[in-house]
Amino acid sequence: MAELKVLISRQDVAKRVAELGEQITKDFAGQSVIFVGVLKGAAIFLADLARQVQLDSTFDFIGVSSYGNRPSPANELRSGWDSTGEVRLLKDVDQSIKEKNIILVEDILDTGLTMTYLKKMLLARQPRSLKVAALLDKPSRRKLPLEGDYVGFKIPDEFVVGYGLDYAEKYRNLPDICVVPRE
Ligand code: IMP
Ligand code: MG
């Protein structure tokens, strides 16, 4: 594969994550929050974000897989992937979220289908509040009108890896966010 190019450096990521953490700390002053990470891409972002938030907090995780015929990695890279929007829950949260402040943590908002589904499912359980924190956002790919509440960076329609994001399960451990060339 061609060489990966750094899009957002680890220093810029750290700075922005600290800003998001500060904002969350202010917005929920005096309250507690539950960070709910969407496996696996959000694991690294959640770990860093939670350490920048000075509030009583706990972690939980949710695992999903999308229905539809996922293209080969090469085709997903070329033209992205529009799933059916129907999401199968592989792992639910471990606790009741009723009356709790939930911060759903995702690596990237793309078509918005996954997040829209998850928000609807969790809102039905009547949390006190439900916010979406996403490290990255590709607004030009959106199919459903979804906005993140705490967004790290808006990026163009490029396929990115690193800091939790994968290409065919690889590169999640890269410290910088890099673009995979599409040629
Ligand atoms: P969507 O918003 O429902 O289309 O799906 C978002 C999910 O697609 C993310 O959680 C990622 O797993 C995956 N995804 C979208 N764009 C990228 C990318 O550029 N790199 C890696 N994964 C991506
Ligand atoms: Mg993925």
Side-chain angles (χ1 to χ4, degrees):
M1 183 189 293
E3 226 167 281
L4 303 174
K5 269 218 279 306
V6 175
L7 178 70
I8 308 170
S9 70
R10 65 197 79 180
Q11 291 84 1
D12 287 350
V13 170
K15 193 164 156 252
R16 185 69 186 125
V17 171
E19 288 170 1
L20 295 178
E22 211 175 296
Q23 190 61 53
I24 292 171
T25 304
K26 275 192 198 139
D27 292 352
F28 290 92
Q31 305 177 55
S32 56
V33 298
I34 304 177
F35 292 101
V36 176
V38 183
L39 292 170
K40 300 170 234 179
I44 293 177
F45 177 42
L46 186 150
D48 283 349
L49 179 65
R51 283 180 290 178
Q52 298 295 332
V53 170
Q54 271 122 57
L55 297 170
D56 263 0
S57 79
T58 54
F59 295 175
D60 215 318
F61 291 93
I62 216 162
V64 292
S65 105
S66 305
Y67 286 109
N69 283 326
R70 196 176 193 105
S72 68
N75 279 327
E76 181 176 3
L77 178 60
R78 206 166 302 128
S79 36
W81 180 47
D82 301 343
S83 66
T84 59
E86 218 184 322
V87 173
R88 185 161 57 112
L89 204 59
L90 300 179
K91 188 214 169 292
D92 203 344
V93 290
D94 295 335
Q95 60 197 295
S96 165
I97 61 167
K98 199 173 162 79
E99 310 291 332
K100 303 281 173 60
N101 294 313
I102 304 303
I103 300 181
L104 247 179
V105 184
E106 177 62 302
D107 51 2
I108 186 166
L109 302 175
D110 189 37
T111 63
L113 295 170
T114 308
M115 238 336 145
T116 300
Y117 181 94
L118 283 178
K119 270 183 87 168
K120 196 169 157 200
M121 183 190 88
L122 294 178
L123 279 172
R125 301 178 190 179
Q126 301 174 302
R128 174 174 176 161
S129 65
L130 177 63
K131 301 286 181 194
V132 171
L135 177 69
L136 302 173
D137 186 3
K138 286 190 213 174
S140 67
R141 287 264 307 155
R142 208 69 98 247
K143 289 196 147 181
L144 292 174
L146 175 88
E147 288 236 28
D149 300 287
Y150 305 100
V151 172
F153 303 91
K154 297 205 171 185
I155 62 167
D157 183 13
E158 303 270 14
F159 198 89
V160 290
V161 294
Y163 199 76
L165 292 126
D166 73 301
Y167 173 60
E169 293 297 328
K170 285 176 63 181
Y171 306 117
R172 293 194 195 273
N173 64 330
L174 295 181
D176 306 302
I177 294 167
C178 301
V179 171
V180 183
R182 273 192 174 127
E183 85 259 312

Coordinates of all heavy atoms in Angstrom, one line a residue, residues 39-41 70 76 107-108 159 164-169 172, ligand 2:
L39 N -17.5 0.4 20.2 CA -16.3 -0.5 19.9 C -16.1 -0.6 18.4 O -17.1 -0.6 17.7 CB -16.5 -1.8 20.5 CG -16.5 -1.9 22.0 CD1 -17.0 -3.2 22.6 CD2 -15.1 -1.5 22.6
K40 N -14.9 -0.8 17.9 CA -13.7 -0.6 18.7 C -13.0 0.7 18.5 O -12.2 1.1 19.2 CB -12.7 -1.7 18.2 CG -13.2 -3.1 18.4 CD -12.2 -4.1 17.7 CE -13.1 -4.9 16.7 NZ -12.3 -5.9 15.9
G41 N -13.5 1.4 17.4 CA -12.8 2.6 17.0 C -12.7 3.7 18.0 O -11.7 4.5 18.0
R70 N -20.9 -5.5 3.1 CA -19.7 -4.7 3.2 C -18.8 -5.0 2.0 O -18.5 -6.1 1.7 CB -19.0 -5.0 4.5 CG -18.0 -3.9 4.9 CD -17.4 -4.2 6.2 NE -16.7 -2.9 6.6 CZ -17.2 -2.1 7.5 NH1 -18.2 -2.4 8.2 NH2 -16.6 -0.9 7.7
E76 N -14.1 -0.2 -0.2 CA -14.6 0.7 0.9 C -13.7 1.9 0.9 O -14.2 3.1 1.1 CB -14.5 0.0 2.3 CG -15.0 0.9 3.4 CD -15.0 0.2 4.8 OE1 -14.6 -1.0 4.9 OE2 -15.4 0.9 5.7
D107 N -15.7 7.3 17.0 CA -14.5 7.7 16.3 C -14.8 8.7 15.2 O -14.2 9.8 15.1 CB -13.7 6.5 15.8 CG -14.5 5.6 14.9 OD1 -15.7 5.8 14.7 OD2 -13.9 4.6 14.5
I108 N -15.8 8.4 14.4 CA -16.0 9.3 13.2 C -17.5 9.2 12.8 O -18.1 8.2 12.8 CB -15.1 8.9 12.0 CG1 -15.2 9.9 10.9 CG2 -15.3 7.5 11.6 CD1 -14.1 9.7 9.8
F159 N -10.3 8.8 3.4 CA -10.4 7.6 4.3 C -9.2 7.7 5.3 O -8.0 7.8 4.9 CB -10.3 6.3 3.5 CG -10.8 5.1 4.4 CD1 -12.1 4.8 4.4 CD2 -9.8 4.4 5.2 CE1 -12.5 3.7 5.2 CE2 -10.3 3.4 6.0 CZ -11.6 3.0 6.0
G164 N -7.3 4.8 16.8 CA -8.5 4.0 16.9 C -9.1 3.6 15.6 O -9.8 2.6 15.6
L165 N -8.9 4.4 14.6 CA -9.6 4.1 13.3 C -8.8 3.1 12.5 O -7.6 3.1 12.5 CB -9.8 5.4 12.5 CG -10.8 6.4 13.1 CD1 -10.1 7.7 13.2 CD2 -12.0 6.5 12.2
D166 N -9.5 2.2 11.8 CA -8.9 1.1 11.1 C -9.1 1.1 9.6 O -10.1 1.7 9.1 CB -9.4 -0.2 11.7 CG -10.8 -0.5 11.2 OD1 -11.7 0.3 11.5 OD2 -11.0 -1.5 10.5
Y167 N -8.2 0.4 9.0 CA -8.5 0.0 7.6 C -8.3 -1.5 7.6 O -7.2 -2.0 7.9 CB -7.5 0.6 6.6 CG -7.5 0.1 5.2 CD1 -8.7 0.2 4.5 CD2 -6.5 -0.5 4.6 CE1 -8.8 -0.3 3.2 CE2 -6.5 -1.0 3.3 CZ -7.7 -0.9 2.6 OH -7.8 -1.4 1.3
A168 N -9.4 -2.3 7.4 CA -9.4 -3.8 7.6 C -8.7 -4.2 8.9 O -7.9 -5.1 8.9 CB -8.7 -4.4 6.4
E169 N -9.1 -3.5 10.0 CA -8.7 -3.8 11.4 C -7.2 -3.4 11.7 O -6.8 -3.5 12.8 CB -8.9 -5.3 11.7 CG -10.3 -5.7 11.8 CD -11.1 -4.9 12.9 OE1 -10.5 -4.6 14.0 OE2 -12.3 -4.7 12.8
R172 N -5.0 0.8 13.9 CA -5.7 1.5 15.0 C -4.7 2.1 16.0 O -5.0 3.1 16.7 CB -6.6 0.5 15.8 CG -7.7 0.0 15.0 CD -8.7 -0.7 15.9 NE -9.7 -1.6 15.2 CZ -10.8 -1.1 14.8 NH1 -11.2 0.1 14.9 NH2 -11.7 -1.9 14.2
Ligands
MG2 MG -14.4 0.7 11.3

